[in-house]
Amino acid sequence: MGVRLMVVDDHRLLAEALASALKLRGHRVLAAAAPAAGAAELVVSRAPEVCLLGTAAPAEPGAFEPIVTIKRERPQVTVVVLGPVPSPRGIAAAFAAGASGYVRHDERIDGVERAIAKARAGEAAVAPQLLQGAFAELLNPAAQPDDEAARLLQMLTPREVEVLVRVAEGEDTRLIAAGMAIAPSTARTHVQRVLMKLGVGSRLEAAALAARTGLLDRAHTAGGPAVPRGCTGPQRT
């Protein structure tokens, strides 16, 4: 039997895509919304059985405040977080706020459904690979520096790092596609995923964040892609 669900995410296209996939599997999706501030109020007013709550920055202070409000006002609502690979503190913060599960936002629909079922059954719905990564970081803290650039790099695939470097160099979609030998539509998708994972709304913001945190230098030091330096890129003041 289908579950009464809500999908709440800052990125409307991703929320709508997930909602559509869940509808095709027989679930009743009440809303696919993208409010940054009104998420808790929306969920409280609709009172679904399960809320899939997206977050791009689980380490940010207050990232899980909507969960606290939801569980206070509607304790019967099961909340499963959709987000990037978090630090152990990110997972702990989600559960401390009242979440019943944490799933990567690029998880397959089968994995999302399994997490929903486990969470509704009262189990902690966290993928084994996320737990393994959390334990590895706890056991080997020196191997994973706790700085913003390292955290952001861990969120990106090697190809997404290359896309970010090219964005920071000022390349548009056409140049990114040509330089990476991929279709423009694929390049556009990569750019959108990079923006989503970094939690920014534009290419300029992504470039500024990469410059501010030293992410670009870290990417090149780690053997990142060699991008021609002929582009001027965003101007620094």
Side-chain angles (χ1 to χ4, degrees):
M1 181 180 296
V3 178
R4 292 173 59 251
L5 293 161
M6 284 190 69
V7 181
V8 183
D9 196 292
D10 285 341
H11 300 275
R12 183 173 295 277
L13 291 179
L14 293 178
E16 291 177 349
L18 179 56
S20 297
L22 290 167
K23 284 179 181 178
L24 289 175
R25 289 175 171 255
H27 300 289
R28 180 185 173 194
V29 183
L30 301 179
E41 290 76 6
L42 186 62
V43 175
V44 168
S45 67
R46 296 295 187 92
E49 294 176 89
V50 176
C51 170
L52 298 176
L53 182 67
T55 178
E60 290 295 318
F64 300 119
E65 280 302 313
I67 302 177
V68 175
T69 302
I70 291 168
K71 298 301 291 186
R72 181 179 65 243
E73 301 294 331
R74 298 283 187 180
Q76 73 277 15
V77 175
T78 298
V79 180
V80 176
V81 174
L82 300 171
V85 177
S87 67
R89 288 186 297 277
I91 295 177
F95 279 87
S100 298
Y102 193 110
V103 181
R104 284 180 54 163
H105 49 52
D106 57 355
E107 179 64 71
R108 294 179 179 274
I109 191 65
D110 290 342
V112 175
E113 281 197 307
R114 284 194 297 271
I116 291 171
K118 289 185 68 174
R120 293 189 70 212
E123 302 178 40
V126 182
Q129 59 267 33
L130 285 184
L131 288 178
Q132 291 169 2
F135 281 126
E137 183 174 336
L138 288 172
L139 294 172
N140 302 285
Q144 300 185 25
D146 190 16
D147 62 74
E148 191 171 5
R151 179 180 65 82
L152 293 174
L153 276 176
Q154 287 179 343
M155 294 164 54
L156 303 175
T157 67
R159 175 147 287 198
E160 288 165 350
V161 171
E162 180 176 357
V163 168
L164 177 59
V165 171
R166 291 179 180 277
V167 166
E169 290 292 333
E171 294 190 7
D172 59 17
T173 301
R174 179 180 57 82
L175 287 174
I176 292 173
M180 298 179 66
I182 56 179
S185 59
T186 303
R188 193 174 299 109
T189 297
H190 283 317
V191 170
Q192 289 302 316
R193 292 193 67 82
V194 168
L195 298 184
M196 178 194 69
K197 289 185 176 183
L198 295 182
V200 297
S202 70
R203 298 180 185 216
L204 184 59
E205 288 181 74
L209 177 63
R212 176 175 60 80
T213 61
L215 191 153
L216 296 179
D217 293 335
R218 182 68 63 84
H220 287 300
T221 301
V227 179
R229 295 286 175 173
C231 301
T232 58
Q235 295 298 312
R236 299 183 184 179
T237 57

